[in-house]
Each structure stands twice: as structure tokens, then as C-alpha cells.
Amino acid sequence: MIVGNMALKHRIVFPPLTRNRNDDDHVPLPLMVKYYADRASTPGTLVISEATSVSHLEEGQDNIPGFVSESQVAAWKNIIDAVHAKGSFYFQQIWGMGRASFPKFIAKKGLKYRSSSAVAMEGVDATPEEMTEEEILDVIQSFVDTARRVIAVGGDGVEIHAAHGYLLDQFVSDAVNKRTDKWGGSTENRSRLLLEVVKAVVDAIGAERVALRLSPFAAFQGAEKSDIVEQYLYIIKELKKMDVPFAYLSLVEPAGDPGTIVHNGKTVNQDKTLDFILEAWNNRSPVIVAGGYCPNTAAWALEDHYRKWNALVAFGRHFLANPDLVFRIQHGLELNKYNRPTFYLAKNEVGYNDYSFSKEHMAAHPNV
Ligand code: PHB
């Protein structure tokens, strides 16, 4: 199936997963090359990177990556080349972190702890400062510059992260964004930064290299919306007005809220579905859905619930635990179990490259 400029060979996607295996300067460690290449081992797979900061100002947590300095870009190039060498495809997920940065970590670096508004995140003992207009324009430029760097070293495209309470979502959410200027105060204004970023990146690298991730229902990091339907139908309407061939839209189902499934947070909106967005989007591009899938439920989703749409399914936890997940699903093989306590073990091999390929894969591809 065609997604953007890519001819994918199946509908299983390796989605963005924060794994904290970058060094203290936010440079990918060499062990990440094998990790990504292994998950690209079935040719024609779409591999999406973990969320990557668009500027040093947004490198707000330990051991998450950036795509800015020469050493960061060079390290990512090795990863991109390794994925391509497997005959697979590569998108870089790019973000700002805003108030999801760790305040003490940011303070140690002398950076400003900032967000759309001066609204503290629940459970965090610090209040961000409201960003100035100059800082907002600078963020848009950072997304553009980073997207250009990704393409310059061979990436197939970028996925703009506007989900899960990170910086762009902090502008979309009326629980976080209390601004009264043109960047807040109404559905239109709260959507402005996200849409400006998308437009600017499309202009810079071409729409077929641009994707967008949204999590309409997630409560993770407090980015709730009081009128989800109105907010997202507006965003979809404006994206459609751009009349460009986006690579894909990535949508997180209620069951995929990382607040619930990774961080044991509150469970919200579980009775809701993405249907209203999919109807409005009406197959303008393929969509990737994520929501704690296993092989059986994914088959049902593609063949039944999402059959009207050009859908692909993301597997986060199962793909991190099964480098040959695609092969295993195609051959009906059992899956390795994931080990949650090692998901975020900073800079550590444990729980990272120690998940095995199936013996069937090893027999069929002895050199992988
Ligand atoms: C996380 O670190 O838990 C995390 C990061 C990015 C997301 C979701 C969750 O989009």
C-alpha cells in the first residue's frame, strides 16, 4: 500500500516509543542502530522514531533525543541508513515538550520552563511561564529546520507530534491554554500553532513527507479538551482546506492513552471512538490507529471496524518486545512478553536489544 512516497508491504507499523537510550547530550547511542534496524527487518515496514526534540530548548527530559546538533544528526543518519538497508521506511517523530519537561532538569540547564500558559501540570511542583509570541514563532521555525535536517540525511518524512500533552497539544487543550491573544481563547486560536507548524513544514519538505499525530481523548499530562468533537473537527476541516497529500494521519484511540496504559493514570473516554474524525477525514490520507492492539484485535480492527478506511495498525509494546513482530504475525507465531519496568531504563541494554527473534525467523534469515 502507498503511504506518502512509500510502498509499504503490510499494515503493521512500528510507532514512536520513548525509550531513554540517548546519551546525556540527547544524542542517540550506537545501540539504537540495532534496535531500529531489527524492527525494520521485514522489508516494507514503516518505522517511526521515538519523539525527538526540534530545538535544544525543548530537550526537557534526560536521555530523550534531539535532531539539532551535528552529532545528533549524524547518529540519526546511521539509524535511518540501517532501516533503509533492510528495505523498510523511516519517519522521524518531532516534538516540543513544553511543560512536560522536567522543571529541575530544565533549570539545571538554565532554560525556561514554558508552556502555552502558566498552568502547572498536576503533581508537578512548578508552574511554567507563558511563552511569548517570539518564542512561539521560534518553535514553528524549529519544526521547519528539523524537518529539513531529517530529509537532508535521508529520512522519508516527519510525524509532527501534537498529542499526549506535549507542547503542541498544550496549545490545543483548553485545560492548559488560557491565552487571550491569537494563540488561545477559542477553538480556532488554540488550533493555530499546530496548523501553522503543519503548514510551514509542508511548505518546507512537501506534504507527502508530512504526518500528524493526534490523541483526541487522552488525559495524559492534563491536556484534556472540554469539547473534543468541536476541537478536532475544526482541526480536520483546516487540514482538509490545505488540499495537500499528507503521508498519513496517526490517531490514538481512547485505549491508547499513555496515561492509562503506561503510567497507571486515570481512565477516561473509553466509550468514545475515532469514527467522527475518520468520517470527516474521509480517506484524505491513510490513517494509523493505535490503542493497545494485539494481533487478533488488530485483524478485527482492519477487517471490521476500520474497513471503510485506509488504515494501518501500530503495535507499541509488542513491537518493542518482538524485533520480528511482523514476521511473527504473518506466520501466526507466539509473541515474546514485554517487560514494563525496563521500558525507560536510561542508556541501558537491558530490556532493549535483548528481546529475541523467533527461531523460525532465525532459520529463514540466518544473517539478520
Ligand atoms: C512517555 O514517555 O510516556 C510518552 C512519550 C511520548 C508520548 C506518549 C508517552 O507520545
Side-chain angles (χ1 to χ4, degrees):
M1 66 177 306
I2 300 299
V3 175
N5 291 332
M6 307 174 288
L8 305 184
K9 298 217 173 99
H10 57 82
R11 292 174 185 269
I12 299 165
V13 175
F14 182 52
L17 298 170
T18 291
R19 303 299 314 275
N20 293 2
R21 265 67 175 190
N22 302 273
D23 76 10
D24 296 337
D25 293 319
H26 309 280
V27 179
L29 285 172
L31 60 87
M32 288 169 56
V33 178
K34 176 174 167 52
Y35 169 79
Y36 280 103
D38 282 355
R39 280 149 191 84
S41 57
T42 298
T45 301
L46 174 57
V47 169
I48 308 168
S49 80
E50 64 210 74
T52 307
S53 294
V54 295
S55 79
H56 293 317
L57 302 178
E58 292 297 330
E59 291 168 345
Q61 294 183 5
D62 322 54
N63 307 113
I64 56 93
F67 209 114
V68 180
S69 69
E70 263 178 46
S71 48
Q72 289 171 336
V73 174
W76 281 116
K77 182 176 186 309
N78 290 335
I79 292 169
I80 295 169
D81 290 347
V83 168
H84 284 160
K86 301 284 184 187
S88 286
F89 299 95
Y90 183 89
F91 262 53
Q92 192 83 31
Q93 196 197 42
I94 56 176
W95 70 357
M97 303 187 80
R99 71 174 197 167
S101 298
F102 296 151
K104 288 205 181 91
F105 184 73
I106 282 280
K108 240 192 302 174
K109 294 203 217 182
L111 298 175
K112 183 166 155 184
Y113 182 53
R114 60 188 197 171
S115 183
S116 54
S117 295
V119 175
M121 198 154 72
E122 203 183 307
V124 175
D125 189 19
T127 303
E129 287 178 59
E130 176 173 301
M131 287 168 70
T132 64
E133 168 124 330
E134 199 187 337
E135 287 174 311
I136 293 172
L137 298 177
D138 197 52
V139 161
I140 299 172
Q141 192 58 45
S142 300
F143 271 91
V144 168
D145 294 342
T146 302
R148 287 210 170 99
R149 286 189 285 269
V150 171
I151 301 307
V153 294
D156 295 301
V158 298
E159 176 181 300
I160 295 165
H161 193 338
H164 296 155
Y166 291 98
L167 182 62
L168 298 183
D169 204 19
Q170 291 162 30
F171 278 79
V172 175
S173 164
D174 58 342
V176 185
N177 185 345
K178 306 290 181 192
R179 302 178 74 96
T180 53
D181 61 4
K182 70 177 194 188
W183 305 98
S186 64
T187 302
E188 291 79 357
N189 286 352
R190 284 191 300 275
S191 312
R192 190 179 308 280
L193 178 57
L194 151 57
L195 292 168
E196 292 288 317
V197 166
V198 171
K199 276 185 205 142
V201 174
V202 163
D203 284 347
I205 65 170
E208 65 289 347
R209 296 185 182 281
V210 179
L212 177 65
R213 191 170 219 210
L214 304 170
S215 59
F217 309 107
F220 185 45
Q221 306 189 125
E224 286 147 301
K225 289 96 195 169
S226 58
D227 193 337
I228 294 169
V229 172
E230 184 189 334
Q231 183 64 60
Y232 283 92
L233 285 184
Y234 177 76
I235 291 171
I236 294 294
K237 186 177 84 182
E238 292 300 304
L239 291 172
K240 286 177 78 175
K241 265 196 211 158
M242 292 172 62
D243 201 21
V244 290
F246 291 109
Y248 62 87
L249 193 60
S250 171
L251 300 170
V252 183
E253 298 172 353
D257 184 346
T260 322
I261 64 171
V262 186
H263 300 285
N264 279 330
K266 64 178 168 181
T267 304
V268 293
N269 292 324
Q270 295 302 307
D271 56 330
K272 307 281 198 318
T273 74
L274 294 167
D275 295 355
F276 77 100
I277 298 186
L278 292 164
E279 295 285 346
W281 189 240
N282 199 19
N283 275 332
R284 287 293 293 262
S285 74
V287 289
I288 298 177
V289 294
Y293 279 105
C294 61
N296 288 339
T297 54
W300 170 81
L302 292 176
E303 287 157 19
D304 188 340
H305 191 98
Y306 294 118
R307 70 186 176 283
K308 281 201 314 204
W309 315 119
N310 194 358
L312 302 94
V313 180
F315 291 85
R317 289 161 290 165
H318 289 307
F319 220 147
L320 78 82
N322 292 275
D324 57 344
L325 181 72
V326 178
F327 181 90
R328 288 186 194 227
I329 292 177
Q330 287 171 339
H331 294 85
L333 305 175
E334 243 182 75
L335 304 188
N336 294 330
K337 291 201 169 34
Y338 55 81
N339 181 22
R340 192 183 295 274
T342 62
F343 283 0
Y344 299 106
L345 274 190
K347 297 185 278 190
N348 213 303
E349 281 277 4
V350 175
Y352 198 62
N353 284 330
D354 50 4
Y355 289 110
S356 62
F357 280 81
S358 61
K359 60 182 189 315
E360 290 83 351
H361 190 279
M362 288 190 272
H365 306 282
N367 299 322
V368 174

